[in-house]
Amino acid sequence: MLLLILKRIGLGLITLFIVSLITFVGVEVLPGDACTTYLEREAYGAALDACIKRLGLDVPAYERYLDWASNVIRGDFGYSLSGEMPINEVLGPRVKNSLVLASVSILIGIPLAIVLGIITALWRDKLPDIMISTITIFSMTIPEFISATLLILIVAIWLGWLPGIVIIPSDATFYELLSNIILPVVAISMIMTAHMARMVRSSVIQVMASDYVQMAILKGVPYWKMVFRHVLPNALLPAINVVALTIAWLLGGVVVTEVVFNYPGLGRLVIESISNRDLPVVQALAIILASIYVGINLIADLMTLMLNPRLKSLQIRK
Amino acid sequence: MNEIIESVKNLSIGFNSQKGKQISILRNVSTNIKKGETVGIVGESGSGKSTLALAMMGYIKQGLFPLKGECIFKSEDLLKMSSRQLEKIRGRKIAMIPQNAGQALTPNLKIGYQIDEALKLHTNLNKTERDKKISELLNKVRLPSPETMAFRYPHELSGGQQQRVAVAMALAGKPDLLLLDEPTTGLDVTTQAHVLELLRFIAKDTGTSMIYVSHDLGAIAQVSDRIVVMYAGEIVLEGPARKILKEPIHPYTYGLLKSIPKLSLAGLPASMPGSQPQPGSINEGCSFYDRCNLATDNCKKNSPDLEHIKELDTNVRCFNYKELINQNNNLQTSITKKSNNSEANEVLKLKDVSISYAKQKFFDQLLNKISDQNPTVKDINIDIKKGETIALVGESGSGKSTILKSIAGLLKTKDGQIKFENDRILSSDLKMRNPNDLRAIQLIFQNPDESLNPNHTVEQILSQPLKLYFNLSGEELKKNIIGLLKKVRLGEFYMSRYPRQLSGGEKQRVAVARAFAAKPDIILCDEVTSALDVSVQAAVLNLLQQLKEDLGTTYVFVSHDLAVVRAISDRVAVLYQGRLCEIGPSQNVYKFPSHPYTEVLLGAVLEPDPDIKPKLVAEDIVEEKPPEKGCSFQGRCPRKIGDICNSEVPPWQIGENGNAIRCHINIKELASLQQ
Ligand SMILES: Nc1ncnc2c1ncn2[C@@H]1O[C@H](COP(=O)(O)OP(=O)(O)O)[C@@H](O)[C@H]1O
Ligand code: SF4
Ligand code: SF4
Ligand SMILES: [Mg+2]
């Protein structure tokens, strides 16, 4: 078991290493370098030389990679070009903002999705299912930018209840944020909850039709006890991985929503730094997003392993 | 003793078709279950037996609903009860033992918890009393080390053990009525016999009434006092077990009994034509009309009622049943088959073949060798003659399929050689074999549902090998496909059908046709009839035999069913844990002296005859892997003579009539022991 965990962690690290290499090489082979991009038309003579010196572009690529990588391991991503400030300072508030947006959406969306999924499955083809399913399918099919825009139009502009666009400095406090994020959270949750609720529904329906549930009914197990002991543990197990992917997707920044609401999270930073050609920031973002995916999937796999008696004893025996 | 526990009255159950029509799958079923009695409900798949059994617990599967009738249990109609009321009855008054215990035990809950759940619901015992009761129950169903068993998860038990847990769970509430839905189907022969024996013991010990549902008349014969025969949703025959099995007076039951291969009979069982009608397609007249050889015009227009015949204590649904009274002698006949010419040349030789599933270590991979001291299959030597049917028998895990896969080239051998025609060595790697060798050896699988592509029509399925091996196209291709279909007795119109539009037997025929499309020399058959109903099984066996007699094909026929093997094969090889135990002409393998393992297998066969009881001589333990040294059967052998069995591989001994036995006991002594 321990060996397996170590193996998975090792694999994750290798993935990260490859991602870092790819982004580094990708940036390297692009025409021009950070200085020409940054200085644009002034990229000649002394200014260019100074810039190259300052960014250390005059040493060979592999040395720069090693240098960069060892700094990253120590938690230092270097300097951004546009703001000329440490990337850590650029990232810090963005990470915090994304974290806030993601955790609020997760805390509301996932339990809601599970409850809705279970309700629709247990009352399959009855009124609650028909109503909830219609709504979930509806909100699944509308693209985010439309639902986000509609939300702004209705709630912010027509009704004037909430600010439509987040106009907070990127280093706003948690409380300032909270009042501003209601609309983005709703927009995100609509889609995420809908997808997950559908998945939970089909998983519960499948388990409800299994022989062991029929057996539990014929054994005389009361309905709700059967649902909680025999159905849900088996139905929600496969949901863990989907939940993990959703969390990773949320943490990595929900690009469209952030842009529509002008929310200063990681997603918008990705767009900004790409359009500014701020290559060091792009590199840093690639590594951070990859780490989030790797880390969360690792946790999900380990959880599945712990909770599934079948896999557990298989591993122990080996 | 004559108190009625549950009575079903005029029960019809059905569903709404997509066209909005009401289609019944149970029609007007009435029967009574008496106290202490075991009733066997038998019928082919789709005859409605499980639906009836579940309805007797007040459970109607999703999508179905009762059309009319009632199930009266202790003067109350189960079908009208609320789920609250039913919860009080289920498990406590009526308990169920499911078809597939492996799937019917909840995977995330320990065995002990699942039994405890039933105890908590249906008894007033406290925690310590319940714990004691759990080990008592596990002990009663004869599970090893009941103390630790309770802490295991379902997947950690073998199939037979899971079935025993299900029995223990059902007994927890001390029910008055036990419902068993195919409780032994899918278990190994020896396990099956043990579980049946356990059920008989429990019926006697507790006085519980039982309803035993099965397609297997052999199993039904072992436990039932009374038998109900279902066909297309109706009861067609009902009466005392002995009467039904020995003097069946309904043409369907008669045909069914004749289509079961029996150990005592060499030769193929007679088959019934056709298959059971689909629900909804029965309009008027007798539902068995299409397949009945006693049918008259009357049967086509009028449907017979279930008639009570006092002197036989039997109910029968047939106008012409009188013709079958006193026909029972005819039951003990079979179709003799042409034996092959024993002078023929050998087409396939297995020489010292060993096969291992062990993962190759890194260095071995580089050297392309497999180092496994104790491979799954070891030292197999078999020479197969042209036109011969050789059967490989053994319980699941005995390596039968493994050997077939190696012959087909799907699995590499570890040691030894497979030689084809004139001693030419076949590569153990499929990619290295030449196309003609690939054509010459074809495989037919157990489950046609998995081996036929559901998105291809029968025409596409059959055209693939014809295009691949013979480059046929256009008119010629079509002519060949029609010819193949004709060979397997299917009409031309089947060409445009998809597998899902075929019955189980028809699908298997298509699979047979596909194998024959390659004009093979050898066909490897892996449990080809195991998933089929007996009447269909008989038809497929007859078809295979006919094709072989016409075309001179050689079969390697793998099966766990000794009676089927007896019917079809010329020679039999018995395997235990991947090692050969006995090999010889079929008639001799089925006579003593036999290898102790063959003896165990023969003893466990369930015959559709209440007078032939299985002999349980060995424990039904499941061994995970073969022993390192000595005789492969040492762990379960009832005749084991001592340390020599554990330390030395037994020698081959040839009996008088040519069967070879691998045992340390002298063959003459073995003969006298087995008398
Ligand atoms: N793919 C596989 N990997 C590892 N072991 C296998 C595999 N397939 C079969 N086995 C093992 O090989 C043995 C023989 O199996 P099999 O040939 O399927 O037996 P049979 O066909 O007689 O039921 C069993 O112990 C089984 O568990
Ligand atoms: S009623 Fe007629 S068709 Fe039906 S089983 Fe009897 S003889 Fe055959
Ligand atoms: S060699 Fe020994 S263990 Fe093996 S079958 Fe013979 S008596 Fe039994
Ligand atoms: Mg097999």
Side-chain angles (χ1 to χ4, degrees), chain B residues 85-146:
Chain B
Q85 287 171 301
L86 282 171
E87 275 163 19
K88 292 226 177 67
I89 287 188
R90 289 174 180 160
R92 191 177 314 186
K93 300 277 196 285
I94 313 178
M96 167 94 172
I97 295 173
Q99 167 153 15
N100 188 338
Q103 282 163 21
L105 296 171
T106 308
N108 68 315
L109 301 174
K110 291 184 180 137
I111 301 300
Y113 176 88
Q114 300 197 40
I115 296 175
D116 193 35
E117 195 175 47
L119 286 172
K120 255 197 263 180
L121 287 167
H122 307 304
T123 65
N124 300 320
L125 304 176
N126 65 31
K127 179 87 183 84
T128 32
E129 287 168 337
R130 287 204 311 271
D131 282 344
K132 219 176 107 220
K133 189 81 192 170
I134 291 173
S135 26
E136 249 176 63
L137 284 167
L138 290 171
N139 206 14
K140 183 163 207 153
V141 297
R142 302 188 203 138
L143 278 164
S145 48

Side-chain angles (χ1 to χ4, degrees), chain A residues 141-163:
Chain A
T141 38
I142 309 180
E144 282 170 281
F145 63 90
I146 294 185
S147 56
T149 318
L150 280 178
L151 275 175
I152 295 180
L153 187 70
I154 297 171
V155 182
I157 299 179
W158 290 355
L159 300 172
W161 288 350
L162 288 167

Side-chain angles (χ1 to χ4, degrees), chain B residues 595-636:
Chain B
H595 186 278
Y597 180 53
T598 317
E599 190 187 354
V600 168
L601 284 181
L602 286 172
V605 170
L606 304 171
E607 299 252 31
D609 184 337
D611 297 327
I612 307 179
K613 294 276 174 227
K615 294 190 258 323
L616 304 171
V617 277
E619 289 301 311
D620 61 330
I621 330 161
V622 180
E623 294 190 83
E624 297 265 315
K625 59 178 198 223
E628 301 272 337
K629 53 184 185 176
C631 170
S632 61
F633 192 48
Q634 55 181 269
R636 286 172 65 190

Side-chain angles (χ1 to χ4, degrees), chain B residues 336-546:
Chain B
T336 41
K337 59 173 194 280
K338 244 198 289 183
S339 209
N340 75 299
N341 167 10
S342 55
E343 306 295 302
N345 290 333
E346 279 140 2
V347 277
L348 191 74
K349 288 187 183 169
L350 305 185
K351 195 159 181 345
D352 298 327
V353 169
S354 296
I355 309 160
S356 167
Y357 281 110
K359 261 205 198 137
Q360 275 181 317
K361 296 213 182 69
F362 182 66
F363 276 111
D364 294 337
Q365 248 169 16
L366 287 184
L367 300 170
N368 195 16
K369 75 169 205 216
I370 303 162
S371 58
D372 179 1
Q373 293 310 308
N374 197 18
T376 305
V377 166
K378 197 174 170 190
D379 293 340
I380 303 293
N381 283 296
I382 305 176
D383 294 347
I384 300 166
K385 292 200 187 78
K386 191 165 169 45
E388 177 181 47
T389 301
I390 182 153
L392 306 180
V393 263
E395 291 164 289
S396 68
S398 59
K400 312 177 296 281
S401 304
T402 306
I403 295 176
L404 278 200
K405 278 187 211 154
S406 268
I407 300 177
L410 298 171
L411 198 64
K412 280 190 188 165
T413 52
K414 172 182 172 292
D415 295 314
Q417 289 145 357
I418 298 172
K419 293 180 185 167
F420 178 57
E421 276 181 344
N422 311 326
D423 287 353
R424 191 159 47 80
I425 295 176
L426 280 179
S427 165
S428 72
D429 188 349
L430 194 65
K431 283 175 240 132
M432 307 282 281
R433 292 195 181 177
N434 72 43
N436 194 44
D437 290 344
L438 294 179
R439 177 199 57 76
I441 302 177
Q442 294 289 319
L443 218 100
I444 307 176
F445 296 93
Q446 169 169 4
N447 198 339
D449 282 322
E450 282 161 28
S451 65
L452 300 179
N453 186 333
N455 301 318
H456 285 177
T457 60
V458 169
E459 179 174 7
Q460 284 168 314
I461 291 169
L462 294 182
S463 63
Q464 274 162 0
L466 291 172
K467 283 187 197 159
L468 181 68
Y469 298 121
F470 305 110
N471 265 323
L472 296 184
S473 62
E475 270 307 299
E476 207 181 346
L477 178 66
K478 196 162 171 202
K479 225 173 67 200
N480 267 277
I481 293 175
I482 295 172
L484 279 169
L485 284 174
K486 206 161 153 196
K487 262 190 206 146
V488 296
R489 320 255 140 72
L490 293 175
E492 200 180 318
F493 57 91
Y494 278 98
M495 277 173 64
S496 57
R497 299 259 188 109
Y498 286 93
R500 63 171 177 278
Q501 297 166 315
L502 305 176
S503 73
E506 286 167 341
K507 275 183 247 183
Q508 200 57 293
R509 277 162 207 257
V510 172
V512 171
R514 177 174 61 182
F516 273 98
K519 299 208 173 67
D521 299 307
I522 300 170
I523 294 188
L524 311 173
C525 306
D526 194 356
E527 302 270 10
V528 284
T529 62
S530 308
L532 304 175
D533 278 315
V534 273
S535 73
V536 184
Q537 163 172 291
V540 170
L541 289 176
N542 279 295
L543 173 71
L544 286 172
Q545 180 64 25
Q546 195 58 51

Side-chain angles (χ1 to χ4, degrees), chain B residues 250-252 286-289 292 294-296 299 304 317-320:
Chain B
H250 188 281
Y252 170 66
C286 174
S287 53
F288 191 57
Y289 176 79
C292 184
L294 294 180
T296 55
C299 315
R317 190 186 292 277
C318 174
F319 294 123
N320 306 329

Side-chain angles (χ1 to χ4, degrees), chain A residues 194-210:
Chain A
H195 271 287
M196 255 168 24
R198 297 301 294 172
M199 210 219 63
V200 170
R201 177 180 185 269
S202 66
S203 177
V204 170
I205 285 178
Q206 201 186 342
V207 172
M208 289 289 282
S210 71

